[in-house]
Amino acid sequence: GAGVSQSPRYKVTKRGQDVALRCDPISGHVSLYWYRQALGQGPEFLTYFNYEAQQDKSGLPNDRFSAERPEGSISTLTIQRTEQRDSAMYRCASSPNPGSEQYFGPGTRLTVT
Amino acid sequence: GENVEQHPSTLSVQEGDSAVIKCTYSDSASNYFPWYKQELGKGPQLIIDIRSNVGEKKDQRIAVTLNKTAKHFSLHITETQPEDSAVYFCAASTIVGYGGATNKLIFGTGTLLAVQP
């Protein structure tokens, strides 16, 4: 079946611009996670949803980062006033239920110039 | 907070040999330990996981062992093949299900496994 999909796969933006990254979880999955992965490192947690409720946003670096999942399916991670340090691979994962296995998408490579 | 350490950072083995990757975690409340394989340009792929009520789990050529007392867990790959070459990540989580708490994964730093034909 279809896995987790993310769009765009690559995004180049200028410093100061806003970007929106989209995640389509596996159909029917309750939980959705956002992670950020720097080159050569493991994914680092950003935020987590059960259905449409944001359960934990403790990993968001600052208030320029926000996420939503308004209908409990697709999620958007928004970064306002991007900075060069925001450049990274942003990964989304979904799981059937809270606490069950997480399946990762291919990621969005964000480059801020 | 939870911290996961992973060793070695690189591992080179001959085809057919076994490979072992070890991780330690700091939070005694951690109860879920997945392993992911990440190939170049792809997202992490779950290959096996273990929960704290189990000491060992096997799936064909891969196995994971968990020592809760020592707070470490290991991935064992037997009869390695060139297609096993990838970066492997361990992770730990405190799973509480619903109820507002997070079930986030804390990842190790990764092991680059190279299987020489």
Side-chain angles (χ1 to χ4, degrees):
Chain A
V4 177
S5 61
Q6 293 184 244
S7 60
R9 293 292 310 276
Y10 303 90
K11 178 68 177 178
V12 180
T13 190
K14 293 185 184 300
R15 183 169 54 89
Q17 297 294 307
D18 297 350
V19 294
L21 312 181
R22 173 182 166 130
C23 171
D24 279 271
I26 294 172
S27 179
H29 278 199
V30 169
S31 303
L32 184 147
Y33 302 79
W34 283 98
Y35 293 84
R36 181 167 67 176
Q37 186 173 18
L39 201 61
Q41 297 183 20
E44 182 181 358
F45 172 78
L46 295 176
T47 188
Y48 157 58
F49 293 84
N50 280 337
Y51 299 106
E52 72 283 357
Q54 190 171 22
Q55 302 291 336
D56 183 352
K57 55 181 181 179
S58 63
L60 296 177
N62 51 60
D63 59 9
R64 295 186 298 105
F65 287 72
S66 63
E68 63 175 9
R69 193 186 185 199
E71 297 180 358
S73 179
I74 295 167
S75 177
T76 303
L77 177 70
T78 301
I79 309 173
Q80 296 179 313
R81 305 180 302 281
T82 52
E83 301 178 4
Q84 284 191 322
R85 59 177 171 158
D86 299 334
S87 297
M89 177 70 80
Y90 289 83
R91 297 203 185 272
C92 173
S94 70
S95 65
N97 295 292
S100 52
E101 62 279 8
Q102 296 183 27
Y103 298 94
F104 280 80
T108 294
R109 168 71 67 187
L110 174 65
T111 302
V112 183
T113 62
Chain B
E2 173 71 283
N3 183 51
V4 177
E5 294 189 357
Q6 183 172 347
H7 300 281
S9 56
T10 61
L11 179 59
S12 181
V13 300
Q14 290 295 124
E15 182 177 0
D17 287 351
S18 295
V20 180
I21 303 170
K22 298 181 179 181
C23 289
T24 59
Y25 60 98
S26 60
D27 188 350
S28 56
S30 293
N31 56 11
Y32 175 63
F33 309 92
W35 285 88
Y36 286 84
K37 175 183 180 183
Q38 187 169 14
E39 296 174 316
L40 198 60
K42 296 186 177 180
Q45 176 192 4
L46 179 68
I47 56 173
I48 196 167
D49 57 10
I50 191 168
R51 296 183 187 268
S52 59
N53 57 347
V54 175
E56 183 176 1
K57 184 177 179 180
K58 289 183 179 180
D59 183 3
Q60 300 183 345
R61 294 186 299 108
I62 60 174
V64 57
T65 58
L66 171 65
N67 183 326
K68 288 175 55 180
T69 302
K71 289 191 284 188
H72 67 71
F73 56 112
S74 300
L75 177 70
H76 304 254
I77 306 175
T78 59
E79 301 172 23
T80 53
Q81 302 167 4
E83 50 265 38
D84 294 330
S85 297
V87 177
Y88 290 80
F89 290 100
C90 63
S93 180
T94 304
I95 299 299
V96 294
Y98 291 90
T102 191
N103 298 304
K104 65 184 178 185
L105 295 175
I106 306 297
F107 282 83
T109 49
T111 296
L112 175 60
L113 173 65
V115 180
Q116 309 297 332

